[in-house]
Amino acid sequence: MKREPRPLSARQEAVMAVVRSWIIEHGHGPTIREIGARVGLSSTSSVAYQLAQLEKRGLISRTGREWSSCRLETPRPPRRGLRSR
C-alpha cells in the first residue's frame, strides 16, 4: 500500500512562494535571511530547516552550498511498474 505524500505546511507554502517569486524577479534564489524576512522567521536555522524539507521532497534543489543557488524542480510523477521484493 502506497502512502500519499503529505501536503505542504502553511510555512512551506510561504517559503515556496517567496522562492518562486524571487527567482522570477531576480533570476536566482534568495538568501536565507531574505526568505526569513518575507515569511516572518527571524531564525535562519528555521528557514534552513524548511528549505531542507522542500529539498527532500524534490521541490527545490541547489547547485552549490548556498541556498541562494536553489532552483525550482518540477515534481516527477510516481514510478509505476514492478515492485522489487
Side-chain angles (χ1 to χ4, degrees):
M1 192 185 323
K2 189 159 182 143
R3 294 188 333 190
E4 289 293 317
R6 289 178 300 173
L8 295 179
S9 69
R11 176 97 3 111
Q12 290 170 339
E13 289 282 354
V15 169
M16 280 299 293
V18 169
V19 170
R20 207 176 281 120
S21 66
W22 192 276
I23 289 173
I24 290 168
E25 234 177 90
H26 299 94
H28 58 83
T31 65
I32 286 181
R33 291 187 191 277
E34 290 163 339
I35 294 169
R38 294 219 177 170
V39 299
L41 287 173
S42 58
S43 168
T44 55
S45 64
S46 294
V47 177
Y49 173 79
Q50 296 300 332
L51 289 168
Q53 294 303 306
L54 294 170
E55 189 176 33
K56 276 184 190 174
R57 288 175 165 233
L59 298 173
I60 63 173
S61 66
R62 54 186 167 159
T63 56
R65 282 194 53 207
E66 302 296 320
W67 279 110
S68 59
S69 70
C70 77
R71 61 181 183 213
L72 299 172
E73 295 292 329
T74 52
R76 295 185 180 133
R79 292 176 25 175
R80 295 185 180 191
L82 298 175
R83 284 188 189 168
S84 61
R85 291 188 196 200

